[in-house]
Amino acid sequence: MELAYYSDYAVRLVNSEDPARGKESLTSVEAVRELFGASQDAGRRATEADVSRFRSVRARLRAVFEAADGGDETLSVNLLNSLLLEFPVSPQISGHDHRDDDGRPLWHMHLADHPSNATAGYAAIAAMGLAFHMTEYGVDRLGLCEASPCRNAYLDTSTNRSRRYCSDRCATRANVAAYRARKRLEADRSEKTGLAADRAQRATANGER
């Protein structure tokens, strides 16, 4: 497993809230556990106290994305570094019982679970994953969806750094809105042109009289 994979932990946590619409999905221990995905053992340690702690980490991770999306790479890195210092990781070499064709373990780097509490474990993995993504692809590959009012976080892995939306749904919605805006502008221009032509025609007719 590539370490950049863990950056999805950060995206999942940031997107558990939709500030523009006033939606909050991180309201229970069960919601916290769902964020761990396949890491069920780590999620089972979550308690009621982790709900508020997760929200606090989420706000700090969103600030990392906001700084990157706003073009302030240094601030984005500094904010992430503060999380890395507060929530250190424990890297381990793991094979997970997977073998190659010759029967040898498929060794890879793995971020071990944090022993203290669910929030510390999740924050450590999310921050380190995001750090690997930053250094592998660039800070400018962290973004916030441009489809108003959505401000979901996303990681741009496109070859031409062209991603602007968190999902195909938001991209379609933004394209439809842009198309309708162009049509309204064209209609307004056509109406103004028609009115101007009418006024010119009336002025010509009055002059002929």
Side-chain angles (χ1 to χ4, degrees), residues 101-114:
D101 294 337
D102 296 323
R104 293 175 300 191
L106 294 172
W107 301 115
H108 61 272
M109 290 301 297
H110 173 77
L111 299 184
D113 222 276
H114 202 285

Side-chain angles (χ1 to χ4, degrees), residues 7 48 86 94:
S7 58
E48 288 291 344
E86 185 173 344
S94 175

Side-chain angles (χ1 to χ4, degrees), residues 69 143-154 164-167 170-171 173:
D69 188 67
L144 295 174
C145 187
E146 292 183 4
S148 179
C150 180
R151 295 295 283 167
N152 274 352
Y154 65 83
R164 296 293 179 269
Y165 308 103
C166 69
S167 64
C170 276
R173 184 160 53 85

Side-chain angles (χ1 to χ4, degrees), residues 22-89:
K23 293 182 179 179
E24 171 64 78
S25 62
L26 201 54
T27 58
S28 65
V29 177
E30 288 71 24
V32 168
R33 289 171 179 163
E34 287 177 5
L35 288 172
F36 283 89
S39 303
Q40 294 300 319
D41 289 339
R44 289 193 189 98
R45 289 205 313 271
T47 66
E48 288 291 344
D50 284 300
V51 176
S52 60
R53 288 197 291 245
F54 261 69
R55 289 181 180 181
S56 176
V57 171
R58 179 181 64 191
R60 295 171 66 182
L61 285 171
R62 176 170 284 278
V64 173
F65 278 90
E66 288 175 343
D69 188 67
D72 195 336
E73 294 194 3
T74 300
L75 176 59
S76 182
V77 169
N78 288 342
L79 291 171
L80 185 55
N81 274 336
S82 69
L83 282 165
L84 290 169
L85 288 171
E86 185 173 344
F87 302 104
V89 298

